[in-house]
């Protein structure tokens, strides 16, 4: 890998790492000490979902615009280069009866400014990769929404079950076992 591609790859990896780190707190549900999903972490993820999702969508749209601009600039530059290469090839073939092919024009264009062509193409591909990465992240957020909803529902059910079990199995101190439940008519009150 040459220096330009290595530099672009490093920038891309850095971009991906930074983007993931901005979303990490929302996705980090398991408490390291208890090795379980805690209500606090789940609530944090639920509370952050909207902000992280909108940020990802906005960043995707921003990167899509950057890609479109980069693509237009590359195409315009490539068209000019192609025309220059075409003129050279036609001039060289002028004395022969052989008609040059479009592939010859394209090959000549790439070779005329090989280094610059590779740089611009790598820049375009990196921009497209960023855009596609963000698209995948937004798709991941859609599925993460249903995961958070399921976890939240399961956790509420577990807490209800634990709460009911705890209330049924405990006898609070200072409470008489003959306590009368309030709120019922006198004739229907049951002693507990």
């Amino acid at each position: 890998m040459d220096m330009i591609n290595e530099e672009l790859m490093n920038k891309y990896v850095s971009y991906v790492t930074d983007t993931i780190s901005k979303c990490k707190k929302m996705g980090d549900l398991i408490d390291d000490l208890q090795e379980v999903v805690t209500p606090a972490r789940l609530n944090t993820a639920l509370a952050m979902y909207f902000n992280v999702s909108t940020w990802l969508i906005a960043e995707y749209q921003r990167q899509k615009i950057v890609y479109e601009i980069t693509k237009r600039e590359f195409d315009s530059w490539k068209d000019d280069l192609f025309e220059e290469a075409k003129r050279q090839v036609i001039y060289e073939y002028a004395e022969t009866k052989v008609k040059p092919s479009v592939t010859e024009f394209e090959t000549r264009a790439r070779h005329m400014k090989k280094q610059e062509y590779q740089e611009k193409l790598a820049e375009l591909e990196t921009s497209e990769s960023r855009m596609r990465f963000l698209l995948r992240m937004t798709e991941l957020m859609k599925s993460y929404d249903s995961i958070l909803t399921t976890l939240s529902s399961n956790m509420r059910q577990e807490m209800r079950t634990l709460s009911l079990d705890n209330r049924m199995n405990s006898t609070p101190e200072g409470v008489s076992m003959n306590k009368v439940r309030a709120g019922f008519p006198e004739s229907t009150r049951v002693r507990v």
Side-chain angles (χ1 to χ4, degrees):
M1 188 182 309
D2 64 5
M3 288 289 280
I4 293 159
N5 288 333
E6 188 174 334
E7 182 182 333
L8 284 171
M9 181 59 75
N10 289 338
K11 285 181 180 178
Y12 174 75
V13 169
S14 177
Y15 178 80
V16 168
T17 304
D18 290 346
T19 301
I20 291 172
S21 71
K22 289 177 181 175
C23 303
K24 184 171 176 25
K25 187 174 181 181
M26 182 183 165
D28 194 11
L29 296 177
I30 298 176
D31 183 280
D32 295 333
L33 299 174
Q34 299 174 17
E35 295 183 351
V36 295
V37 176
T38 63
R41 292 233 176 156
L42 181 59
N43 285 335
T44 298
L46 289 166
M48 293 177 73
Y49 183 82
F50 179 78
N51 289 339
V52 172
S53 293
T54 54
W55 176 80
L56 275 172
I57 291 167
E59 181 61 15
Y60 167 74
Q61 289 303 122
R62 186 190 73 78
Q63 193 58 50
K64 186 175 178 182
I65 290 168
V66 168
Y67 168 73
E68 293 296 331
I69 291 169
T70 305
K71 183 167 177 19
R72 267 195 316 274
E73 289 172 352
F74 176 77
D75 288 344
S76 176
W77 176 83
K78 185 179 167 187
D79 290 345
D80 292 342
L81 185 61
F82 181 83
E83 286 299 318
E84 184 182 335
K86 182 178 171 183
R87 280 192 299 276
Q88 284 183 7
V89 170
I90 289 174
Y91 178 76
E92 291 172 9
Y93 276 75
E95 294 179 10
T96 68
K97 296 193 184 225
V98 178
K99 183 178 177 186
S101 69
V102 173
T103 305
E104 288 181 74
F105 303 146
E106 292 171 347
T107 302
R108 176 70 60 93
R110 284 193 303 271
H111 283 287
M112 283 172 54
K113 297 194 177 181
K114 189 174 186 174
Q115 182 68 24
E116 189 177 1
Y117 185 90
Q118 291 299 320
E119 290 172 10
K120 289 184 179 293
L121 184 60
E123 184 181 334
L124 177 65
E125 291 169 345
T126 302
S127 180
E128 182 179 19
S129 295
R130 285 181 179 184
M131 180 186 69
R132 293 193 183 283
F133 164 72
L134 289 165
L135 181 61
R136 299 297 175 266
M137 287 293 288
T138 57
E139 290 169 356
L140 177 65
M141 287 301 289
K142 289 177 188 174
S143 64
Y144 194 56
D145 174 45
S146 65
I147 291 168
L148 288 176
T149 302
T150 301
L151 283 172
S152 178
S153 177
N154 290 349
M155 192 169 286
R156 277 194 304 273
Q157 188 61 38
E158 284 179 30
M159 293 180 107
R160 279 190 208 112
T161 302
L162 288 174
S163 178
L164 183 61
D165 286 348
N166 289 342
R167 283 185 280 153
M168 289 178 64
N169 293 324
S170 69
T171 53
E173 291 181 31
V175 175
S176 165
M177 293 307 287
N178 292 326
K179 181 177 176 186
V180 175
R181 301 249 175 191
F184 294 100
E186 188 68 38
S187 63
T188 60
R189 286 188 185 172
V190 177
R191 296 214 176 263
V192 183

